[in-house]
C-alpha cells in the first residue's frame, strides 16, 4: 500500500518561545490561542517549549503539551520573563517532541537553538521563525544581555 499523501498525515508542531511569559501580553495571547486551537482538534500534536522556573511538562489537552525548561529570570520577578539558560535541555525537549514543523519565536535566543537542533533531527523538520518583537530595538540590547547572563549556545 502506498504511503498516505503528506496532507493526510498527522503532524507534530513544536514552538520554542523564549519570549513567552505567563503574565505577558501579546505573545502570551498568541501562544494561548495556538494552545486553544490545537486543543480543539484530534489530528495533530502540539508542543510549546518555554523558559520556566523549573522543569515541568503540562498536558493541556490530548496531544497538546507545554514543556518548561529552566530559565533565568530577567527582571527579578519570578512570574515574569525568563530566558533559556540551559541550551542542552531545550535541545532534549525538541528531540523528544519529534517535530515535523519547528518554529522559533525570535531570532536571537530560540532561533539559534531551533536551527542547531533541527540539524540533528531525522527527518529534518520544516523550520520557521516568527518575529514577535521590534527587531531594530531588540537587536541593540541582545549582545549586552547575553554577556550579562553568560549564555552560550
Amino acid at each position: 500500500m502506498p504511503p498516505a499523501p503528506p496532507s493526510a498525515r498527522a503532524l507534530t508542531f513544536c514552538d520554542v518561545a523564549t519570549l513567552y511569559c505567563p503574565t505577558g501580553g501579546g505573545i502570551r495571547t498568541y501562544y494561548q490561542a495556538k494552545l486553544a486551537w490545537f486543543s480543539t482538534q484530534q489530528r495533530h500534536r502540539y508542543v510549546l517549549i518555554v523558559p520556566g522556573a523549573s522543569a515541568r511538562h503540562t498536558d493541556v489537552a490530548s496531544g497538546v503539551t507545554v514543556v518548561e525548561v529552566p530559565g533565568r529570570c530577567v527582571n527579578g520577578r519570578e512570574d515574569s520573563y525568563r530566558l533559556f539558560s540551559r541550551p542542552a535541555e531545550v535541545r532534549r525537549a525538541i528531540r523528544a517532541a519529534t517535530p515535523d514543523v519547528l518554529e522559533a519565536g525570535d531570532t536571537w535566543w530560540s532561533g539559534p537553538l531551533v536551527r542547531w537542533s533541527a540539524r540533528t533531527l531525522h527527518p529534518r523538520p520544516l523550520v520557521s521563525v516568527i518575529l514577535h518583537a521590534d527587531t531594530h530595538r531588540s537587536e541593540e540590547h541582545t549582545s549586552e544581555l547575553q554577556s550579562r547572563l553568560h549564555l552560550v549556545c
Side-chain angles (χ1 to χ4, degrees):
M1 173 184 265
S7 62
R9 186 167 72 85
L11 299 173
T12 297
F13 295 83
C14 179
D15 283 340
V16 180
T18 303
L19 302 175
Y20 176 85
C21 164
T23 59
I27 294 170
R28 176 184 53 89
T29 302
Y30 170 79
Y31 287 113
Q32 284 182 331
K34 285 182 93 167
L35 289 165
W37 185 87
F38 277 101
S39 295
T40 65
Q41 56 80 49
Q42 297 297 312
R43 183 171 179 197
H44 303 293
R45 214 167 56 96
Y46 180 63
V47 179
L48 174 60
I49 301 171
V50 299
S54 61
R56 183 179 2 189
H57 286 76
T58 304
D59 292 324
V60 176
S62 177
V64 180
T65 305
V66 176
V67 177
E68 292 181 54
V69 174
R72 289 197 178 179
C73 189
V74 173
N75 62 4
R77 291 181 38 215
E78 286 301 312
D79 65 343
S80 192
Y81 293 96
R82 295 179 172 276
L83 295 175
F84 292 119
S85 57
R86 299 180 186 174
E89 289 187 36
V90 176
R91 291 185 70 201
R92 272 193 289 279
I94 292 170
R95 273 195 309 274
T98 61
D100 296 294
V101 179
L102 181 56
E103 182 175 284
D106 68 274
T107 59
W108 308 275
W109 297 93
S110 58
L113 288 171
V114 161
R115 288 191 307 271
W116 183 30
S117 298
R119 288 186 202 133
T120 64
L121 297 174
H122 299 286
R124 276 199 183 166
L126 172 68
V127 174
S128 69
V129 177
I130 186 164
L131 299 176
H132 294 286
D134 178 345
T135 57
H136 179 70
R137 283 185 32 201
S138 298
E139 207 169 87
E140 296 170 1
H141 304 289
T142 301
S143 62
E144 176 191 343
L145 186 56
Q146 284 175 328
S147 66
R148 284 179 41 204
L149 293 174
H150 307 290
L151 300 178
V152 178
C153 291

